[in-house]
Amino acid sequence: MAWIAIVAILAAGGVYVFKSCRDLPVETLEKTGKLAEQVGKSLAKVAAAFNQGTITTTFTSYATEMSGNQYLQVATLSQHERFTRTDEATTAFGYLPLPEVIVQAEAPVTYTYYLDLNEAWDFTLQNGEIIVTAPDLKYNKPAVDVSRMTYEVKKNSMIRDTRQAMDGLKSSITWMAHQKAKTNIGLVSDTGRKQTELFVRNWLAKSFADGKDYPVTVRFRSEVRTNAPVLQLKKD
């Protein structure tokens, strides 16, 4: 009896809907049909985009529009850096070492990290989750605040030309800042990953009606290539 009652209710509902639609103007019915068709397409758009191979194209177009260029900035790091140069010399054809000179410079430096949208981006839909393989983090030219830079001679020598050591330090600061930017990638990788995941989630939410239903995990390409094992500590 319960099953028959449900069928009767559904049947009655179907008749009611049919009667209601029958009395509507043709133009309204057409608009309603188009809206229903659009909604139906939107609800399946994420899966359809993967099936059609347009997911990467859609993402790149959105990211380029939002960032205004081909780079997606994901992390900024500001540090007060100390650059030190030890200048050593010899005389008497290299047999007699001269006292070393140590000079130092300090200044605030800003490091900016980004992902290149022109490089390969891989998206995989796996068990209801979107796995993103993003390009490795890169960095812009470090911005050294020369207006706040200070110099100091940490170790002087009466028989050495300190100015020469200081000039060598000034000319090498750009190179040393680049080396520090490379070293800092490990410090900003988690921030860059989280910002990229947030960006992809926003893209999904704005581009697809069901985009909010998909969790996102981002891996950088070097992490996939190395396939480094997870270290586990043994308990005594």
Side-chain angles (χ1 to χ4, degrees):
M1 294 298 295
W3 171 254
I4 296 175
I6 293 174
V7 173
I9 292 172
L10 290 175
V15 172
Y16 174 76
V17 171
F18 172 76
K19 288 183 178 180
S20 299
C21 293
R22 183 183 59 184
D23 297 334
L24 291 174
V26 176
E27 182 180 356
T28 303
L29 288 176
E30 291 179 351
K31 291 182 178 180
T32 304
K34 291 180 180 179
L35 179 60
E37 183 180 359
Q38 292 175 357
V39 171
K41 289 182 178 179
S42 297
L43 291 177
K45 200 168 184 181
V46 168
F50 274 97
N51 293 334
Q52 297 169 4
T54 59
I55 195 79
T56 303
T57 304
T58 305
F59 170 77
T60 303
S61 300
Y62 172 84
T64 303
E65 180 181 355
M66 294 298 294
S67 62
N69 52 54
Q70 296 298 318
Y71 300 137
L72 178 62
Q73 183 176 320
V74 294
T76 300
L77 179 65
S78 297
Q79 291 184 326
H80 190 88
E81 298 290 7
R82 178 178 297 165
F83 306 100
T84 303
R85 178 184 176 91
T86 301
D87 195 300
E88 299 176 345
T90 59
T91 187
F93 302 100
Y95 292 102
L96 180 61
L98 295 176
E100 65 180 8
V101 174
I102 301 176
V103 290
Q104 181 175 286
E106 294 187 22
V109 183
T110 301
Y111 305 93
T112 303
Y113 296 84
Y114 67 90
L115 301 176
D116 192 340
L117 297 175
N118 286 325
E119 293 187 4
W121 289 73
D122 297 329
F123 294 81
T124 304
L125 182 59
Q126 182 178 346
N127 298 325
E129 181 181 10
I130 295 180
I131 308 298
V132 182
T133 302
D136 289 325
L137 287 169
K138 295 184 177 180
Y139 52 88
N140 291 325
K141 179 180 178 181
V144 181
D145 189 351
V146 295
S147 66
R148 297 171 58 187
M149 180 172 288
T150 59
Y151 296 95
E152 182 180 359
V153 178
K154 301 296 292 184
K155 186 176 182 180
N156 205 345
S157 172
M158 298 299 295
I159 61 175
R160 295 286 309 280
D161 186 359
T162 306
R163 292 176 299 176
Q164 184 177 356
M166 189 64 74
D167 290 340
L169 172 63
K170 293 178 180 179
S171 63
S172 62
I173 284 178
T174 299
W175 179 84
M176 287 190 285
H178 274 278
Q179 295 302 114
K180 191 61 182 295
K182 185 184 300 184
T183 304
N184 288 336
I185 288 180
L187 294 177
V188 301
S189 59
D190 286 342
T191 299
R193 189 191 323 278
K194 292 177 182 178
Q195 290 300 315
T196 306
E197 289 175 352
L198 177 61
F199 188 87
V200 173
R201 287 198 299 268
N202 289 336
W203 159 63
L204 289 170
K206 292 181 180 180
S207 301
F208 309 109
D210 56 346
K212 294 181 179 180
D213 300 335
Y214 294 85
V216 176
T217 298
V218 169
R219 304 174 301 180
F220 297 119
R221 193 158 299 277
S222 60
E223 298 172 341
V224 178
R225 284 197 303 263
T226 56
N227 195 21
V230 178
L231 297 178
Q232 295 181 350
L233 298 178
K234 294 183 179 180
K235 297 182 179 180
D236 296 333

